[in-house]
Coordinates of all heavy atoms in Angstrom, one line a residue:
E1 N 21.9 123.8 193.2 CA 21.0 123.0 192.4 C 21.7 122.5 191.1 O 21.5 121.4 190.7 CB 19.7 123.8 192.0 CG 18.8 124.0 193.2 CD 17.6 124.8 192.8 OE1 17.2 124.8 191.6 OE2 17.1 125.5 193.7
N2 N 22.5 123.4 190.5 CA 23.2 123.0 189.2 C 24.2 121.9 189.5 O 24.4 121.0 188.7 CB 24.0 124.2 188.6 CG 23.0 125.2 188.0 OD1 21.9 124.8 187.7 ND2 23.5 126.4 187.8
L3 N 24.8 121.9 190.7 CA 25.7 120.8 191.0 C 25.0 119.4 191.1 O 25.6 118.4 190.9 CB 26.4 121.1 192.3 CG 27.4 122.3 192.3 CD1 28.0 122.6 193.6 CD2 28.4 122.1 191.2
A4 N 23.7 119.4 191.5 CA 23.0 118.2 191.6 C 22.9 117.5 190.2 O 22.8 116.3 190.2 CB 21.6 118.5 192.2
N5 N 22.9 118.3 189.2 CA 22.9 117.7 187.8 C 24.1 116.8 187.5 O 24.0 116.0 186.6 CB 22.8 118.8 186.8 CG 21.5 119.6 186.9 OD1 20.5 119.0 187.3 ND2 21.5 120.8 186.5
L6 N 25.2 117.0 188.2 CA 26.4 116.2 188.0 C 26.3 114.9 188.7 O 27.3 114.1 188.6 CB 27.6 117.0 188.4 CG 27.8 118.3 187.6 CD1 29.0 119.1 188.2 CD2 28.1 118.0 186.2
G7 N 25.2 114.6 189.5 CA 25.0 113.3 190.1 C 26.2 113.0 191.1 O 26.6 113.8 191.8
S8 N 26.6 111.7 191.0 CA 27.6 111.3 192.0 C 29.0 111.6 191.5 O 30.0 111.2 192.2 CB 27.5 109.8 192.2 OG 27.7 109.1 190.9
F9 N 29.2 112.4 190.5 CA 30.6 112.7 190.0 C 31.2 113.8 191.0 O 32.4 113.8 191.2 CB 30.6 113.3 188.6 CG 31.9 113.4 188.0 CD1 32.8 112.3 187.8 CD2 32.4 114.7 187.7 CE1 34.0 112.4 187.3 CE2 33.7 114.8 187.1 CZ 34.5 113.7 187.0
I10 N 30.4 114.6 191.6 CA 30.8 115.6 192.6 C 30.5 115.0 194.0 O 29.3 114.8 194.3 CB 30.1 116.9 192.4 CG1 30.4 117.5 191.0 CG2 30.6 117.9 193.5 CD1 31.8 117.9 190.7
T11 N 31.5 114.7 194.8 CA 31.2 114.2 196.1 C 31.1 115.2 197.2 O 30.5 115.0 198.3 CB 32.3 113.1 196.5 OG1 33.5 113.7 196.4 CG2 32.2 111.9 195.6
N12 N 31.7 116.4 197.0 CA 31.6 117.5 198.0 C 31.9 118.8 197.2 O 32.5 118.8 196.2 CB 32.6 117.3 199.1 CG 32.3 118.0 200.3 OD1 31.3 118.7 200.4 ND2 33.1 117.8 201.4
Y13 N 31.4 119.9 197.8 CA 31.6 121.2 197.1 C 31.5 122.3 198.1 O 31.0 122.1 199.3 CB 30.5 121.4 196.0 CG 29.1 121.6 196.6 CD1 28.7 122.9 196.9 CD2 28.3 120.5 196.8 CE1 27.4 123.1 197.4 CE2 27.0 120.7 197.4 CZ 26.6 122.0 197.7 OH 25.4 122.2 198.2
D14 N 32.0 123.4 197.7 CA 31.9 124.6 198.5 C 31.9 125.8 197.6 O 32.5 125.8 196.6 CB 33.1 124.7 199.5 CG 32.9 125.9 200.4 OD1 31.9 126.1 201.0 OD2 33.9 126.7 200.6
A15 N 31.1 126.8 197.9 CA 31.0 128.0 197.1 C 30.9 129.2 198.1 O 30.1 129.2 199.0 CB 29.8 128.0 196.2
R16 N 31.8 130.2 197.9 CA 31.9 131.3 198.9 C 31.9 132.6 198.0 O 32.7 132.8 197.1 CB 33.1 131.2 199.7 CG 33.3 132.3 200.7 CD 34.5 132.1 201.6 NE 35.7 131.7 200.9 CZ 36.6 132.6 200.4 NH1 36.5 133.9 200.6 NH2 37.7 132.2 199.8
M17 N 30.9 133.5 198.3 CA 30.8 134.7 197.6 C 32.0 135.6 197.9 O 32.4 135.8 199.1 CB 29.5 135.5 198.0 CG 29.3 136.8 197.3 SD 28.9 136.6 195.6 CE 27.3 135.9 195.6
L18 N 32.7 136.1 196.9 CA 33.8 137.0 197.0 C 33.4 138.4 196.7 O 34.0 139.4 197.2 CB 35.0 136.6 196.1 CG 35.5 135.1 196.3 CD1 36.5 134.8 195.2 CD2 36.1 135.0 197.7
K19 N 32.5 138.6 195.8 CA 32.1 139.9 195.3 C 30.7 139.9 194.8 O 30.2 139.0 194.2 CB 33.1 140.3 194.1 CG 32.8 141.6 193.4 CD 33.8 141.8 192.3 CE 33.5 143.1 191.6 NZ 34.5 143.4 190.5
Y20 N 30.0 141.0 195.1 CA 28.7 141.2 194.6 C 28.5 142.8 194.5 O 28.4 143.4 195.5 CB 27.6 140.7 195.5 CG 26.2 140.9 194.9 CD1 25.6 139.9 194.2 CD2 25.5 142.1 195.1 CE1 24.3 140.1 193.6 CE2 24.2 142.3 194.6 CZ 23.6 141.3 193.9 OH 22.4 141.5 193.3
D21 N 28.7 143.3 193.2 CA 28.6 144.7 193.0 C 27.5 145.1 192.0 O 27.4 144.4 191.0 CB 30.0 145.3 192.5 CG 31.1 145.2 193.5 OD1 30.8 145.2 194.8 OD2 32.2 145.1 193.1
V22 N 26.8 146.1 192.3 CA 25.8 146.7 191.4 C 26.6 147.9 190.8 O 27.0 148.8 191.5 CB 24.5 147.1 192.1 CG1 23.6 147.7 191.1 CG2 23.9 145.9 192.8
E23 N 26.7 147.9 189.5 CA 27.4 149.0 188.8 C 26.6 149.6 187.7 O 25.5 149.2 187.4 CB 28.7 148.3 188.2 CG 29.6 147.7 189.3 CD 30.9 147.0 188.7 OE1 31.0 147.0 187.5 OE2 31.7 146.6 189.5
K24 N 27.2 150.7 187.2 CA 26.6 151.4 186.0 C 25.1 151.8 186.3 O 24.2 151.5 185.5 CB 26.7 150.6 184.7 CG 28.2 150.4 184.3 CD 28.3 149.7 183.0 CE 29.8 149.4 182.7 NZ 30.0 148.7 181.5
D25 N 24.9 152.4 187.4 CA 23.6 152.8 187.8 C 22.5 151.7 187.8 O 21.4 151.9 187.4 CB 23.1 154.0 187.0 CG 23.9 155.2 187.1 OD1 24.4 155.5 188.3 OD2 24.1 156.0 186.1
G26 N 22.9 150.5 188.3 CA 22.0 149.4 188.3 C 21.9 148.6 187.0 O 21.1 147.7 187.0
K27 N 22.6 149.0 186.0 CA 22.5 148.3 184.7 C 23.4 147.1 184.6 O 23.3 146.3 183.6 CB 22.8 149.3 183.6 CG 21.8 150.4 183.5 CD 22.3 151.4 182.4 CE 21.4 152.6 182.4 NZ 21.9 153.7 181.6
E28 N 24.2 146.8 185.6 CA 25.1 145.7 185.6 C 25.3 145.2 187.0 O 25.5 146.0 187.9 CB 26.4 146.2 185.0 CG 27.3 145.1 184.5 CD 28.5 145.6 183.7 OE1 28.3 145.8 182.5 OE2 29.6 145.8 184.2
I29 N 25.3 143.9 187.2 CA 25.6 143.2 188.4 C 26.8 142.3 188.2 O 26.8 141.5 187.3 CB 24.5 142.4 189.0 CG1 23.3 143.3 189.2 CG2 24.9 141.6 190.2 CD1 22.0 142.6 189.6
V30 N 27.9 142.5 189.0 CA 29.1 141.7 188.8 C 29.3 140.9 190.1 O 29.3 141.4 191.2 CB 30.3 142.7 188.6 CG1 31.6 141.9 188.5 CG2 30.1 143.6 187.4
T31 N 29.5 139.6 189.9 CA 29.6 138.7 191.0 C 30.9 137.9 190.8 O 31.4 137.7 189.7 CB 28.5 137.7 191.2 OG1 28.4 136.8 190.0 CG2 27.1 138.4 191.3
K32 N 31.5 137.4 191.9 CA 32.6 136.5 191.9 C 32.4 135.5 193.0 O 32.2 135.9 194.2 CB 33.9 137.2 192.0 CG 35.1 136.2 191.8 CD 36.3 136.9 191.2 CE 36.0 137.6 190.0 NZ 37.0 137.5 188.9
V33 N 32.6 134.2 192.8 CA 32.4 133.2 193.8 C 33.6 132.3 193.7 O 34.1 131.9 192.6 CB 31.1 132.3 193.5 CG1 31.0 131.2 194.4 CG2 29.9 133.2 193.5
M34 N 34.1 131.9 194.9 CA 35.2 130.9 194.9 C 34.5 129.5 195.0 O 33.7 129.2 195.9 CB 36.1 131.1 196.2 CG 37.2 130.1 196.3 SD 38.3 130.4 194.9 CE 39.5 129.1 195.1
V35 N 34.8 128.7 194.0 CA 34.1 127.4 193.8 C 35.2 126.3 194.1 O 36.3 126.4 193.6 CB 33.6 127.2 192.4 CG1 33.0 125.9 192.2 CG2 32.5 128.3 192.1
K36 N 34.8 125.3 194.9 CA 35.6 124.1 195.1 C 34.7 122.9 194.9 O 33.7 122.8 195.4 CB 36.2 124.1 196.5 CG 37.1 125.3 196.8 CD 37.5 125.2 198.3 CE 38.3 126.5 198.6 NZ 38.6 126.5 200.1
L37 N 35.2 122.0 194.1 CA 34.5 120.7 193.8 C 35.4 119.5 194.0 O 36.5 119.5 193.4 CB 34.0 120.7 192.3 CG 33.2 121.9 191.8 CD1 33.0 121.8 190.3 CD2 31.9 122.0 192.5
E38 N 34.9 118.6 194.8 CA 35.7 117.3 195.0 C 35.1 116.3 194.1 O 33.9 116.1 194.1 CB 35.6 116.9 196.5 CG 36.3 115.6 196.7 CD 36.1 115.1 198.2 OE1 35.0 114.4 198.4 OE2 36.9 115.4 199.0
L39 N 35.9 115.7 193.3 CA 35.5 114.7 192.3 C 35.5 113.3 192.9 O 36.4 113.0 193.7 CB 36.3 114.8 191.0 CG 36.4 116.2 190.3 CD1 37.2 116.0 189.0 CD2 35.1 116.7 190.1
N40 N 34.6 112.5 192.4 CA 34.5 111.1 192.9 C 35.4 110.2 192.1 O 35.1 109.4 191.3 CB 33.0 110.6 192.7 CG 32.8 109.3 193.4 OD1 33.6 108.9 194.2 ND2 31.7 108.7 193.1
L41 N 36.7 110.5 192.3 CA 37.8 109.7 191.8 C 38.6 109.1 193.0 O 38.5 109.7 194.1 CB 38.7 110.5 190.9 CG 38.0 111.0 189.6 CD1 38.9 112.0 188.9 CD2 37.6 109.9 188.7
P42 N 39.3 108.0 192.8 CA 40.0 107.4 194.0 C 40.9 108.4 194.7 O 41.0 108.3 196.0 CB 40.8 106.3 193.3 CG 40.1 105.9 192.1 CD 39.5 107.2 191.6
W43 N 41.6 109.3 194.1 CA 42.5 110.2 194.8 C 41.8 111.5 195.3 O 42.4 112.4 195.8 CB 43.7 110.6 194.0 CG 43.4 111.2 192.7 CD1 43.5 112.6 192.4 CD2 43.0 110.6 191.4 NE1 43.1 112.8 191.1 CE2 42.9 111.6 190.5 CE3 42.8 109.2 191.1 CZ2 42.5 111.3 189.2 CZ3 42.4 109.0 189.8 CH2 42.3 110.0 188.8
K44 N 40.5 111.6 195.0 CA 39.6 112.7 195.5 C 40.2 114.1 195.1 O 40.4 115.0 196.0 CB 39.4 112.7 197.0 CG 38.7 111.4 197.5 CD 37.3 111.4 196.9 CE 36.5 110.2 197.5 NZ 35.3 109.9 196.7
P45 N 40.4 114.4 193.8 CA 41.0 115.7 193.4 C 39.9 116.8 193.7 O 38.7 116.5 193.7 CB 41.2 115.6 191.9 CG 40.3 114.5 191.5 CD 40.2 113.5 192.6
V46 N 40.4 118.0 194.0 CA 39.6 119.1 194.3 C 39.9 120.2 193.2 O 41.0 120.6 193.1 CB 39.8 119.7 195.7 CG1 39.0 121.0 195.9 CG2 39.4 118.7 196.8
L47 N 38.9 120.5 192.5 CA 39.0 121.6 191.5 C 38.6 122.9 192.2 O 37.5 122.9 192.9 CB 38.0 121.4 190.3 CG 38.1 120.0 189.6 CD1 37.2 120.0 188.4 CD2 39.5 119.7 189.2
A48 N 39.4 123.9 192.1 CA 39.1 125.2 192.8 C 39.5 126.4 191.9 O 40.6 126.4 191.4 CB 39.9 125.2 194.1
W49 N 38.6 127.3 191.8 CA 38.8 128.5 191.0 C 37.8 129.6 191.3 O 36.7 129.3 191.7 CB 38.8 128.2 189.5 CG 37.5 127.7 189.0 CD1 36.5 128.6 188.5 CD2 36.9 126.4 189.0 NE1 35.4 127.8 188.2 CE2 35.6 126.5 188.5 CE3 37.4 125.2 189.4 CZ2 34.8 125.4 188.4 CZ3 36.6 124.1 189.3 CH2 35.3 124.2 188.8
P50 N 38.2 130.8 191.1 CA 37.2 131.9 191.2 C 36.4 132.0 189.9 O 36.9 131.9 188.8 CB 38.0 133.2 191.4 CG 39.4 132.7 191.8 CD 39.5 131.4 191.2
W51 N 35.1 132.0 190.1 CA 34.1 132.0 188.9 C 33.4 133.3 189.0 O 32.8 133.7 190.0 CB 33.2 130.8 189.1 CG 32.0 130.8 188.2 CD1 32.0 130.9 186.8 CD2 30.7 130.6 188.5 NE1 30.8 130.8 186.3 CE2 29.9 130.6 187.4 CE3 30.0 130.4 189.7 CZ2 28.5 130.5 187.4 CZ3 28.6 130.2 189.7 CH2 27.9 130.3 188.6
G52 N 33.3 134.1 187.9 CA 32.6 135.3 187.9 C 31.5 135.3 186.9 O 31.5 134.6 185.9
V53 N 30.4 136.1 187.2 CA 29.3 136.3 186.3 C 29.0 137.8 186.3 O 28.9 138.4 187.3 CB 28.1 135.5 186.7 CG1 26.9 135.7 185.7 CG2 28.4 134.0 186.7
T54 N 28.8 138.3 185.1 CA 28.4 139.7 184.9 C 27.0 139.6 184.3 O 26.8 139.0 183.2 CB 29.3 140.5 184.1 OG1 30.6 140.5 184.7 CG2 28.8 141.9 183.8
Y55 N 26.0 140.2 184.9 CA 24.6 140.3 184.4 C 24.4 141.7 183.9 O 24.7 142.7 184.6 CB 23.6 140.0 185.5 CG 23.8 138.6 186.1 CD1 24.5 138.4 187.3 CD2 23.2 137.5 185.5 CE1 24.6 137.2 187.9 CE2 23.3 136.3 186.1 CZ 24.0 136.1 187.3 OH 24.2 134.9 187.8
K56 N 23.9 141.8 182.7 CA 23.5 143.2 182.2 C 22.0 143.2 182.3 O 21.3 142.3 181.9 CB 24.0 143.4 180.8 CG 25.5 143.3 180.7 CD 26.1 143.9 179.5 CE 27.6 143.7 179.6 NZ 28.3 144.7 178.9
I57 N 21.5 144.4 182.8 CA 20.1 144.5 183.1 C 19.5 145.6 182.2 O 20.1 146.7 182.1 CB 19.9 145.0 184.6 CG1 20.7 144.1 185.6 CG2 18.4 145.0 184.9 CD1 20.2 142.7 185.6
D58 N 18.3 145.3 181.6 CA 17.6 146.3 180.8 C 16.9 147.2 181.8 O 16.1 146.8 182.6 CB 16.6 145.6 179.9 CG 15.8 146.6 179.1 OD1 15.3 147.6 179.6 OD2 15.7 146.3 177.9
P59 N 17.2 148.5 181.8 CA 16.7 149.4 182.8 C 15.2 149.7 182.7 O 14.5 150.0 183.6 CB 17.4 150.8 182.6 CG 18.0 150.7 181.2 CD 18.2 149.2 180.9
E60 N 14.6 149.4 181.5 CA 13.2 149.6 181.3 C 12.4 148.4 181.8 O 11.3 148.6 182.4 CB 12.9 149.9 179.8 CG 13.4 151.2 179.3 CD 13.0 151.5 177.9 OE1 12.1 150.9 177.4 OE2 13.7 152.3 177.3
T61 N 12.9 147.2 181.6 CA 12.1 146.0 182.0 C 12.6 145.4 183.2 O 12.0 144.5 183.8 CB 12.2 145.0 180.8 OG1 13.5 144.5 180.7 CG2 11.6 145.5 179.5
C62 N 13.9 145.8 183.7 CA 14.6 145.2 184.8 C 14.8 143.7 184.6 O 15.0 142.9 185.6 CB 13.8 145.4 186.1 SG 13.6 147.1 186.5
L63 N 14.9 143.2 183.3 CA 15.2 141.9 183.0 C 16.7 141.7 182.7 O 17.3 142.7 182.1 CB 14.4 141.4 181.8 CG 12.9 141.3 182.1 CD1 12.1 140.9 180.8 CD2 12.5 140.3 183.2
V64 N 17.2 140.5 182.9 CA 18.6 140.3 182.6 C 18.7 140.1 181.1 O 17.9 139.3 180.5 CB 19.1 139.0 183.3 CG1 20.5 138.6 182.8 CG2 19.1 139.2 184.8
T65 N 19.6 140.8 180.4 CA 19.7 140.7 178.9 C 21.0 140.0 178.5 O 21.1 139.7 177.4 CB 19.6 142.1 178.3 OG1 20.7 142.9 178.8 CG2 18.3 142.8 178.6
S66 N 21.9 139.9 179.5 CA 23.2 139.2 179.2 C 23.7 138.6 180.4 O 23.6 139.1 181.5 CB 24.2 140.3 178.7 OG 25.4 139.7 178.4
H67 N 24.3 137.4 180.2 CA 24.9 136.6 181.3 C 26.3 136.2 180.8 O 26.4 135.3 179.9 CB 24.0 135.4 181.6 CG 24.6 134.4 182.5 ND1 24.2 134.2 183.8 CD2 25.6 133.5 182.4 CE1 24.9 133.3 184.4 NE2 25.8 132.8 183.6
I68 N 27.3 136.8 181.4 CA 28.7 136.6 180.9 C 29.5 135.9 182.0 O 29.6 136.5 183.1 CB 29.4 137.9 180.4 CG1 28.5 138.6 179.3 CG2 30.8 137.6 179.9 CD1 28.9 140.0 179.1
E69 N 30.0 134.7 181.7 CA 30.8 134.0 182.8 C 32.3 134.2 182.5 O 32.7 134.3 181.4 CB 30.4 132.5 182.7 CG 29.0 132.3 183.1 CD 28.7 130.8 183.3 OE1 29.6 130.0 183.6 OE2 27.5 130.5 183.3
S70 N 33.0 134.1 183.6 CA 34.5 134.2 183.5 C 35.1 133.3 184.6 O 34.5 133.1 185.6 CB 35.0 135.6 183.6 OG 34.7 136.1 184.8
W71 N 36.3 132.8 184.3 CA 37.0 132.0 185.3 C 38.4 132.5 185.4 O 39.0 132.8 184.4 CB 37.1 130.5 184.9 CG 35.7 129.9 184.8 CD1 35.1 129.2 185.8 CD2 34.8 129.9 183.7 NE1 33.9 128.7 185.4 CE2 33.7 129.2 184.1 CE3 34.8 130.4 182.4 CZ2 32.6 129.0 183.3 CZ3 33.7 130.2 181.6 CH2 32.6 129.5 182.0
D72 N 38.9 132.7 186.7 CA 40.2 133.2 186.9 C 41.2 132.1 186.9 O 42.0 131.9 187.9 CB 40.3 134.0 188.2 CG 39.4 135.2 188.2 OD1 38.9 135.6 187.1 OD2 39.3 135.9 189.2
I73 N 41.2 131.2 185.9 CA 42.1 130.1 185.8 C 42.2 129.8 184.3 O 41.3 129.8 183.5 CB 41.6 128.9 186.6 CG1 42.7 127.8 186.6 CG2 40.3 128.4 186.0 CD1 42.4 126.7 187.6
D74 N 43.4 129.4 183.9 CA 43.7 129.0 182.5 C 43.1 127.6 182.3 O 43.1 126.8 183.3 CB 45.2 128.9 182.3 CG 45.6 128.4 180.9 OD1 45.4 129.2 180.0 OD2 46.1 127.3 180.8
A75 N 42.5 127.3 181.2 CA 41.8 126.0 180.9 C 42.7 124.8 181.2 O 42.3 123.9 181.9 CB 41.3 126.0 179.5
L76 N 44.0 124.9 180.8 CA 44.9 123.8 181.0 C 45.1 123.6 182.5 O 45.1 122.5 183.0 CB 46.2 124.0 180.3 CG 47.3 122.9 180.5 CD1 46.7 121.5 180.1 CD2 48.5 123.3 179.8
D77 N 45.3 124.7 183.3 CA 45.5 124.6 184.7 C 44.3 123.9 185.4 O 44.5 123.2 186.3 CB 45.8 126.0 185.3 CG 47.2 126.5 184.9 OD1 48.1 125.7 184.6 OD2 47.3 127.7 184.9
G78 N 43.1 124.3 184.9 CA 41.9 123.7 185.5 C 41.9 122.2 185.3 O 41.6 121.4 186.2
V79 N 42.2 121.7 184.0 CA 42.2 120.3 183.7 C 43.3 119.6 184.6 O 43.1 118.5 185.1 CB 42.4 120.1 182.2 CG1 42.7 118.6 181.9 CG2 41.2 120.6 181.4
L80 N 44.5 120.2 184.7 CA 45.6 119.6 185.5 C 45.2 119.4 186.9 O 45.8 118.5 187.6 CB 46.8 120.4 185.3 CG 47.5 120.4 183.9 CD1 48.7 121.4 183.9 CD2 47.9 119.0 183.5
Q81 N 44.3 120.1 187.5 CA 43.8 119.9 188.9 C 43.3 118.5 189.1 O 43.3 118.0 190.2 CB 42.8 121.0 189.3 CG 43.4 122.4 189.5 CD 42.3 123.4 189.9 OE1 41.2 123.0 190.3 NE2 42.7 124.6 189.9
I82 N 42.7 118.0 188.0 CA 42.1 116.6 188.1 C 43.2 115.6 188.4 O 42.9 114.6 189.1 CB 41.4 116.2 186.8 CG1 40.2 117.2 186.6 CG2 40.9 114.8 186.8 CD1 39.6 117.0 185.2
F83 N 44.4 115.8 188.0 CA 45.4 114.8 188.0 C 46.5 115.0 189.1 O 47.4 114.2 189.2 CB 46.2 114.7 186.7 CG 45.2 114.4 185.5 CD1 44.8 115.4 184.7 CD2 44.8 113.1 185.3 CE1 43.9 115.2 183.7 CE2 43.9 112.9 184.3 CZ 43.5 113.9 183.5
R84 N 46.2 115.9 190.0 CA 47.2 116.1 191.1 C 46.5 115.8 192.4 O 45.3 115.8 192.5 CB 47.7 117.5 191.1 CG 46.6 118.6 191.5 CD 47.2 119.9 191.7 NE 46.2 120.8 192.3 CZ 46.0 122.0 192.0 NH1 46.8 122.6 191.1 NH2 45.0 122.7 192.6
K85 N 47.3 115.6 193.5 CA 46.8 115.5 194.8 C 46.1 116.8 195.2 O 46.6 117.9 194.9 CB 47.9 115.1 195.8 CG 48.4 113.7 195.7 CD 49.4 113.4 196.8 CE 49.1 112.1 197.4 NZ 50.0 111.8 198.5
P86 N 45.0 116.7 196.0 CA 44.4 118.0 196.4 C 45.3 118.8 197.2 O 46.0 118.3 198.1 CB 43.2 117.5 197.2 CG 43.1 116.0 197.0 CD 44.4 115.5 196.5
T87 N 45.2 120.1 197.0 CA 46.0 121.1 197.8 C 45.1 121.9 198.7 O 45.6 122.7 199.5 CB 46.8 122.0 196.9 OG1 45.9 122.7 196.0 CG2 47.8 121.3 196.0
V88 N 43.8 121.8 198.5 CA 42.8 122.4 199.4 C 41.8 121.4 199.9 O 41.6 120.3 199.3 CB 42.0 123.5 198.6 CG1 43.0 124.7 198.2 CG2 41.3 123.0 197.4
K89 N 41.2 121.7 201.0 CA 40.1 120.8 201.6 C 38.8 121.5 201.5 O 38.7 122.7 201.4 CB 40.5 120.6 203.1 CG 41.8 119.9 203.3 CD 41.6 118.5 203.5 CE 42.9 117.8 203.8 NZ 42.9 116.5 203.4
I90 N 37.8 120.7 201.5 CA 36.4 121.2 201.5 C 35.8 120.7 202.8 O 35.8 119.5 203.2 CB 35.6 120.6 200.3 CG1 36.2 121.1 199.0 CG2 34.2 121.1 200.4 CD1 35.6 120.5 197.8
G91 N 35.2 121.7 203.6 CA 34.5 121.3 204.8 C 33.3 120.4 204.6 O 32.7 120.5 203.5
N92 N 32.9 119.6 205.6 CA 31.7 118.8 205.4 C 30.4 119.6 205.5 O 30.3 120.6 206.2 CB 31.6 117.8 206.6 CG 32.7 116.7 206.4 OD1 33.1 116.4 205.3 ND2 33.1 116.1 207.5
K93 N 29.4 119.2 204.7 CA 28.1 119.9 204.7 C 27.1 119.2 205.6 O 26.3 118.4 205.2 CB 27.5 119.8 203.2 CG 28.4 120.4 202.2 CD 28.2 121.9 202.2 CE 29.0 122.5 201.1 NZ 29.8 123.6 201.5
E94 N 27.3 119.5 206.9 CA 26.4 118.8 207.9 C 25.6 119.9 208.7 O 25.9 121.0 208.8 CB 27.2 118.0 208.8 CG 27.8 116.8 208.1 CD 28.6 115.9 209.0 OE1 28.5 116.0 210.2 OE2 29.4 115.1 208.5

């Protein structure tokens, strides 16, 4: 759903779960997803990186009290992916 907010700038995408762990007696959930986004540019660059989110849970209310994101890529390397020929493919969503 979040990708829909980007409109026609993203022409294709893929997300694959790499990790989903419940830790610290249920007080923390750690996830990691491999994300691939094809941009609507003439050379169709594909941005790809592992994206992680750690959720901290209040044990009394069971509500999320913290949402911490991380990316396993240097910011400059991520930007440079826009300007190179794609090195990965994204399967069709049919």
Side-chain angles (χ1 to χ4, degrees):
E1 293 177 25
N2 286 340
L3 295 177
N5 294 332
L6 296 173
S8 62
F9 190 63
I10 304 292
T11 55
N12 203 354
Y13 69 91
D14 185 48
R16 181 175 47 92
M17 182 69 69
L18 301 174
K19 175 181 179 179
Y20 182 94
D21 290 335
V22 178
E23 301 177 355
K24 298 184 181 177
D25 295 326
K27 296 177 187 167
E28 196 168 277
I29 298 172
V30 179
T31 65
K32 186 153 306 222
V33 176
M34 183 62 184
V35 176
K36 297 177 187 175
L37 306 172
E38 181 184 83
L39 303 185
N40 191 15
L41 295 169
W43 60 97
K44 299 295 185 196
V46 174
L47 309 182
W49 64 90
W51 168 53
V53 178
T54 299
Y55 301 95
K56 298 197 181 206
I57 311 295
D58 181 312
E60 291 183 20
T61 63
C62 297
L63 295 175
V64 174
T65 59
S66 178
H67 171 108
I68 303 164
E69 296 190 20
S70 63
W71 295 268
D72 293 356
I73 188 170
D74 179 71
L76 178 60
D77 291 335
V79 171
L80 290 175
Q81 288 183 13
I82 296 170
F83 301 103
R84 70 171 191 217
K85 285 183 139 185
T87 58
V88 296
K89 298 266 186 207
I90 299 176
N92 289 333
K93 303 276 184 230
E94 294 180 18

